Amino acid sequence: MPLKTYSEQFKRDAVALYESTEGASLKSTAAELGINRNTLKAWVARFSSNPRAGSADQSEAAAITDAERIRQLERDNARLREERDILRRAAKYFAEGDDLVSRFQFVDDTRTDYPVKRLCEVLKLNRSSYYKWKTATPARTRRTCDDALLAARITVIFNDHDGCYGAKRVTAELNDLGDLGDLGDGTSVDAPVAPVNHKRVARLMKENGLAGFTRRRRVRTTVADPSRRVFADLVNRRFTAESANQTYVGDITYLPISDGSNMYLATVIDCFSRRLVGFAIADHMRTSLVVDALTAAAGQRGSLAGAIFHSDHGSVYTSGTYQKACRDLKVRQSMGTVGTSADNALAESFNAALKREVLKDEKTFANQLVCRRDVFRWCIRYNTTRRHSWCGYLSPQTYEARSSGKLRLVS
C-alpha cells in the first residue's frame, strides 16, 4: 500500500491541535488524527512553538566559567531592563491607530532618551524607514489636512442622500461638483478640486463610520467562467460508490469572520464513506485552494488514478491549472448542472453540517486564527470520531476500515 503524505500546513495544524487541547497526550492526539504516535512526536519536535521538554548542551555550558557567566547575565539583564522600559513607555502609543506609524512616532518622541538604533531594534524597525518617515512629515501633515476637508464634504453628501450612498456614488458626486461647495457650516469655498479616487473616499468613510445601506451580505463562492470547458455529469446525483477511492465530490464554502472578512474551505469527500479525504483552508478563493485540497487527497490515498471528482461550475474547477492537476493525478472531472445545488448535494450537506456544529448559535468566527483552528479540529474529528448516519453511525474512517475487512493504522 502506498505511503500517505501530509503537507507542511497539515503537520503544523496537527501540532497546534495537540498543543491547544488541554490534557492531551501524544497517544490520544495521534489516535484522533489517525497517525502514528512517533510521527506526531516528530512533528511536535519540528514545529512546536512551545516545546515541552528541552536540554542544554552540557559540554558547551561546562566550558564557560562562573565569572564569565555572571558578567554575561548582567549584560543580558541590563538589556532586558532597557527593553522593558522602552516597551512600557511605548505601550500607550500602540493604542492610537496604525501600529507602524505609532512606533515611528514613539521613536521620534524618545530619541533624546535612547539611541535611535536601540529604539528601532527593540521595536523591530528599520532605521532607514524611520528616517524616511520623518523626512516625509510635512507632506503627511498636508495630506492629513486635505483628508479632513474631504471628509467634511463626504459627510455633507452622505447626509444629503439619507445615508444610502456608498463610496463609489459619493465619489461620483464629489467629482461632478468640481468645487468644494458648502461644507455644512455656512462656509462656501470655490477653489478647484482634483478628481478623487473611490478608494480614498472608501477609506475616509470607514474612518468616519459612514457606510451606505446594504442588505444582508451573501457570499458567492461559485463564479462560472463561460469561456472554460464544462465536463459531463458522471455522477447524476448518485452519491454512492462500491468502494473507497472511486468517486469524490468537492466544493468551496465561506467561513465568516467577525471583522467582515471571510476564510474559505475547499473539500474532497469520498462518496463511499463520506470521508473528508482532502481539504484546504485559506483567506482567498484562488485556484491554488482547490488544487491544495486535491493534492492533500492524493497524499492520503497514495493515488487517485481513475477516480472521479465531481464539482460545480466554479471558475476554479474549470481553470486550466486545476484541469492540469487532475490530468497529472489521472482524475476524471465531473460537473452538475449550472445553478442546481442538488447536483452537488453531498458537498453542500457537508458544508451545512460544519457551520452548524462549529458555529452553533454564533454567526461568525472571532478571528482567522480561531476559524482555522476550530475548522481544522472539526474536519479531523469528522473523519475519526464523529458518527455519520450514512455509515451506520460509525465514523467514516472506521466505516472504511471495517468495509475493507481490517483495521489500519496510518503511519
Side-chain angles (χ1 to χ4, degrees):
M1 175 183 172
L3 291 176
K4 297 182 179 181
T5 59
Y6 299 88
S7 66
E8 181 173 322
Q9 184 61 59
F10 182 95
K11 296 175 183 178
R12 290 183 183 276
D13 287 338
V15 172
L17 175 64
Y18 165 65
E19 292 182 340
S20 64
T21 303
E22 185 176 356
S25 65
L26 287 171
K27 182 178 180 180
S28 63
T29 305
E32 184 176 351
L33 290 166
I35 62 176
N36 184 275
R37 177 187 178 279
N38 290 333
T39 300
L40 178 58
K41 183 178 179 181
W43 293 353
V44 170
R46 180 179 175 188
F47 297 108
S48 176
S49 59
N50 183 26
R52 300 188 178 184
S55 59
D57 189 335
Q58 298 298 326
S59 60
E60 182 179 351
I64 304 176
T65 65
D66 289 344
E68 291 173 335
R69 189 177 305 162
I70 291 172
R71 284 195 294 271
Q72 183 62 43
L73 288 173
E74 289 175 345
R75 288 194 293 269
D76 291 345
N77 284 337
R79 287 181 62 83
L80 287 173
R81 284 194 298 271
E82 183 182 56
E83 183 172 334
R84 178 201 62 193
D85 293 340
I86 291 173
L87 291 175
R88 280 180 176 175
R89 294 181 61 176
K92 66 178 181 180
Y93 285 77
F94 296 155
E96 296 178 357
D98 185 274
D99 179 58
L100 185 61
V101 171
S102 299
R103 283 185 284 169
F104 285 148
Q105 189 62 58
F106 174 74
V107 172
D108 196 52
D109 292 345
T110 56
R111 68 186 187 280
T112 57
D113 300 326
Y114 301 97
V116 170
K117 179 180 179 180
R118 178 59 175 153
L119 289 168
C120 290
E121 177 184 320
V122 171
L123 299 179
K124 302 186 185 309
L125 295 171
N126 291 323
R127 276 188 292 167
S128 60
S129 298
Y130 160 70
Y131 287 121
K132 183 177 180 180
W133 173 86
K134 186 172 178 60
T135 302
T137 297
R140 189 165 52 252
T141 301
R142 287 195 299 272
R143 285 197 300 272
T144 300
C145 293
D146 292 343
D147 280 354
L149 185 59
L150 181 58
R153 298 172 61 208
I154 290 172
T155 302
V156 171
I157 294 172
F158 185 81
N159 292 334
D160 284 347
H161 293 277
D162 299 322
C164 292
Y165 269 17
K168 291 188 177 180
R169 284 191 170 89
V170 171
T171 302
E173 188 83 4
L174 285 167
N175 290 331
D176 282 346
L177 288 176
D179 61 273
L180 290 177
D182 187 359
L183 297 180
D185 58 358
T187 303
S188 180
V189 182
D190 296 324
V193 177
V196 181
N197 185 281
H198 75 274
K199 294 182 180 180
R200 183 184 179 193
V201 173
R203 173 177 60 83
L204 292 174
M205 289 182 67
K206 183 177 180 180
E207 290 175 358
N208 288 273
L210 304 177
F213 176 80
T214 58
R215 297 181 65 84
R216 183 178 179 181
R217 67 174 182 159
R218 298 179 184 273
V219 179
R220 185 184 180 191
T221 55
T222 302
V223 182
D225 185 348
S227 67
R228 293 290 184 180
R229 178 184 175 188
V230 175
F231 295 87
D233 189 347
L234 304 178
V235 175
N236 294 316
R237 300 189 184 180
R238 295 190 299 270
F239 302 110
T240 59
E242 294 180 358
S243 62
N245 202 23
Q246 287 187 347
T247 306
Y248 295 94
V249 299
D251 195 13
I252 297 177
T253 188
Y254 76 97
L255 307 167
I257 310 300
S258 60
D259 62 4
S261 64
N262 293 305
M263 295 283 282
Y264 297 92
L265 170 70
T267 55
V268 179
I269 304 168
D270 195 317
C271 289
F272 171 73
S273 61
R274 281 19 183 192
R275 181 175 178 177
L276 180 63
V277 182
F279 66 94
I281 308 169
D283 60 354
H284 62 79
M285 206 172 58
R286 297 189 289 272
T287 303
S288 59
L289 176 65
V290 292
V291 171
D292 288 345
L294 190 65
T295 303
Q300 283 289 301
R301 291 305 195 194
S303 173
L304 297 178
I308 295 172
F309 178 80
H310 183 79
S311 68
D312 56 30
H313 288 253
S315 59
V316 291
Y317 291 116
T318 59
S319 68
T321 301
Y322 192 76
Q323 291 182 38
K324 182 179 183 303
C326 288
R327 289 194 300 270
D328 292 343
L329 296 171
K330 299 180 181 179
V331 172
R332 292 186 293 163
Q333 282 189 261
S334 167
M335 292 182 176
T337 306
V338 176
T340 306
S341 60
D343 284 355
N344 203 17
L346 175 54
E348 298 284 354
S349 176
F350 174 92
N351 295 339
L354 182 151
K355 292 179 181 178
R356 180 178 65 251
E357 296 181 13
V358 177
L359 284 173
K360 296 180 181 176
D361 292 331
E362 300 295 329
K363 293 183 179 179
T364 61
F365 294 91
N367 53 57
Q368 291 191 0
L369 180 62
V370 169
C371 174
R372 173 178 285 278
R373 183 194 64 200
D374 290 351
V375 171
F376 177 80
R377 184 195 301 269
W378 189 89
C379 288
I380 292 299
R381 292 180 174 174
Y382 171 87
N383 283 333
T384 59
T385 62
R386 182 184 181 274
R387 297 182 183 273
H388 201 297
S389 58
W390 170 266
C391 302
Y393 294 98
L394 298 173
S395 70
Q397 185 168 296
T398 303
Y399 180 81
E400 278 193 5
R402 292 190 181 182
S403 299
S404 65
K406 59 181 179 179
L407 290 171
R408 293 181 284 111
L409 277 179
V410 180
S411 59

